[in-house]
Amino acid sequence: MAPESPAPSPTPPHPQRPPATPARRLLPLLLPAIVVGVVCALILLGVSLLAEQLQDALWESLPDALGVGRFSSVWMVVMLTATGLAVGIALRAVPGHGGPDPATTGLVDAPMRPGVVPGLLLVTVLALAGGVSLGPENPITAANIALAFWLGRRLAPDAPGEVWVALAAAGTIGALFGTPVAAALILSEVLASQPGPGAFWDRLFAPLAAGTAGALAMSLIAEPSFDLSLPAYTGPHWGDLLSALLIASAGALLGLLAVYAFPVAHRVFAVLRQPVLALTAGGLALGLLGALGGHLTLFKGLDEVKTLAGDPDGWSAGEFAGMAIVKMAALVIAATCGFRGGRIFPSVFAGVSLGLCAHALADAVPPSLAVSCAVLGVLLAVTRQGWVSLFTAAVLVGDASVLPLLCAATLPAWLLVTGRAQMQLDANGKSLR
């Protein structure tokens, strides 16, 4: 019998790599996050500067050359109507027609095709320069998300697409507010509602880096500031607590009026069917509102709100209330007739006007407290984002002593707005909840 051959020795198993630690997973995201944040800030800055140059030509050089008043009622009506017509023609001509209906979009949405971005940025510049009561935040964020997602998927196809959306959103928001805190707060609400692996701060790490890069880039170049330089708050006092609760609730009610008018206005403009007609009619309505409320109620409102805050006693309570109502009406019309733009900055203007109205009615209410609480209430109703509303209200007055009262004022205002319709529509034209 032949001897049995020896059994082959078992093949040694391949050594398995230990799982990457969270730090090793997060570190490669740092450089892309910084690059995305800086690029987002530069795109925002470029659009803003271009809009400012065009605004100067339309509202200073041109009326001066024609010998008409820069902010006369006739010029406001003509300019806003012409802006609506120009935006309507541009939307009809550009690829992608400027993206989806702006009444159905929020601040952070799914990425659109990159071919839509040039047309979207063009109509955004026209609207900002023409005096439309919308901010740049929604279209700029959408454009940056589209570009970051498109490039990111090609340069790093293995990375999840959600990463590029979060980085672009954070970089843009950080640049808009000049601080990464705003980006972190907004994305914290988004991430908290989405399931995903890893600890919360692991998921926030790269977006926070992008927001920091965007904020630093914008701060180093443009030095943005939201501080209204209102008289310092000397409280808190017991009487201020009641004032804070009432003013924030009033702001929330004003915001809710605009929210419930939103789908109604959208249906009215939808009757016109053609975007050119709807935008021209919307521009005419905005011009008439500007003639009614004054030129400070035009544009996105960031510069105009500083004019109001620079002279808290320069207008009567009725005039402040009128500007708040006109601005909210202009916001509703602009966002439902087809103009591309965001709702945060106009809402801030309306809140500041309402707060100064409260101060004018009761001189004992400090203007810093009144303004911050009114802005808080309006933003809670319009954005339905608690952290960013609280943050924006506090930043405007630059005084940490108002924070306890702002937190208290958030409670009744939130009870008024929670579960109610939002200032955003679904595909069928119905309000989201």
Side-chain angles (χ1 to χ4, degrees):
M1 181 180 292
E4 296 181 0
S5 57
S9 59
T11 303
H14 293 289
Q16 295 183 350
R17 293 181 179 179
T21 63
R24 291 181 63 182
R25 286 189 288 105
L26 295 176
L27 192 59
L29 296 173
L30 191 57
L31 181 58
I34 293 173
V35 172
V36 170
V38 172
V39 172
C40 288
L42 293 178
I43 292 175
L44 169 63
L45 183 62
V47 170
S48 299
L49 290 176
L50 184 59
E52 289 174 4
Q53 293 297 318
L54 182 57
Q55 177 181 325
D56 290 342
L58 295 177
W59 293 92
E60 295 180 10
S61 302
L62 184 56
D64 288 350
L66 296 175
V68 299
R70 293 181 176 181
F71 292 108
S72 64
S73 296
V74 172
W75 189 249
M76 285 190 280
V77 172
V78 169
M79 277 306 310
L80 267 300
T81 305
T83 298
L85 177 61
V87 171
I89 293 173
L91 285 174
R92 187 173 180 176
V94 298
H97 307 295
D101 182 350
T104 65
T105 61
L107 182 59
V108 181
D109 288 321
M112 62 180 64
R113 294 184 295 106
V116 179
V117 170
L120 177 61
L121 295 181
L122 171 63
V123 296
T124 300
V125 169
L126 292 176
L128 291 172
V132 175
S133 292
L134 291 173
E137 59 272 19
N138 283 27
I140 299 297
T141 303
N144 285 340
I145 287 175
L147 294 176
F149 182 84
W150 180 69
L151 288 173
R153 296 294 284 172
R154 280 153 180 77
L155 298 177
D158 294 333
E162 296 81 2
V163 170
W164 305 109
V165 173
L167 295 184
T172 308
I173 296 167
L176 276 165
F177 287 90
T179 170
V181 177
L185 291 175
I186 290 176
L187 288 177
S188 68
E189 297 193 34
V190 175
L191 294 175
S193 62
Q194 296 176 349
F200 175 77
W201 274 97
D202 285 350
R203 298 164 64 194
L204 196 60
F205 176 83
L208 183 60
T212 301
L216 286 175
M218 182 62 72
S219 298
L220 291 172
I221 298 173
E223 300 182 359
S225 174
F226 283 80
D227 189 350
L228 298 181
S229 300
L230 289 166
Y233 178 60
T234 59
H237 306 289
W238 285 112
D240 293 343
L241 177 59
L242 178 60
S243 299
L245 300 179
L246 293 175
I247 294 171
S249 298
L253 291 174
L254 175 62
L256 283 177
L257 287 176
V259 167
Y260 281 101
F262 199 75
V264 178
H266 188 263
R267 287 194 294 270
V268 170
F269 287 112
V271 172
L272 298 176
R273 297 183 180 275
Q274 295 297 325
V276 175
L277 294 178
L279 281 157
T280 303
L284 173 60
L286 292 177
L288 294 173
L289 282 173
L292 176 65
H295 72 276
L296 291 178
T297 60
L298 302 180
F299 305 102
K300 63 183 178 182
L302 185 58
D303 294 330
E304 290 73 22
V305 82
K306 293 180 179 180
T307 302
L308 292 183
D311 189 8
D313 301 315
W315 291 266
S316 67
E319 289 171 325
F320 280 127
M323 285 189 281
I325 294 171
V326 166
K327 192 66 172 181
M328 292 306 294
L331 166 59
V332 170
I333 290 173
T336 55
C337 72
F339 286 110
R340 272 55 176 172
R343 299 152 200 168
I344 293 178
F345 291 109
S347 299
V348 168
F349 179 95
V352 171
S353 300
L354 182 63
L356 293 176
C357 170
H359 169 67
L361 287 172
D363 188 62
V365 179
S368 295
L369 178 67
V371 163
S372 59
C373 289
V375 168
L376 171 68
V378 174
L379 285 179
L380 283 174
V382 171
T383 69
R384 214 55 58 87
Q385 291 181 319
W387 284 124
V388 73
S389 302
L390 188 60
F391 167 80
T392 305
V395 166
L396 288 174
V397 298
D399 192 340
S401 61
V402 302
L403 280 173
L405 292 174
L406 281 177
C407 291
T410 302
L411 303 178
W414 184 255
L415 289 176
L416 287 172
V417 304
T418 185
R420 299 187 183 275
Q422 299 184 38
M423 193 176 274
Q424 185 176 345
L425 307 180
D426 62 16
N428 298 317
K430 296 182 178 179
S431 299
L432 297 180
R433 289 185 179 271

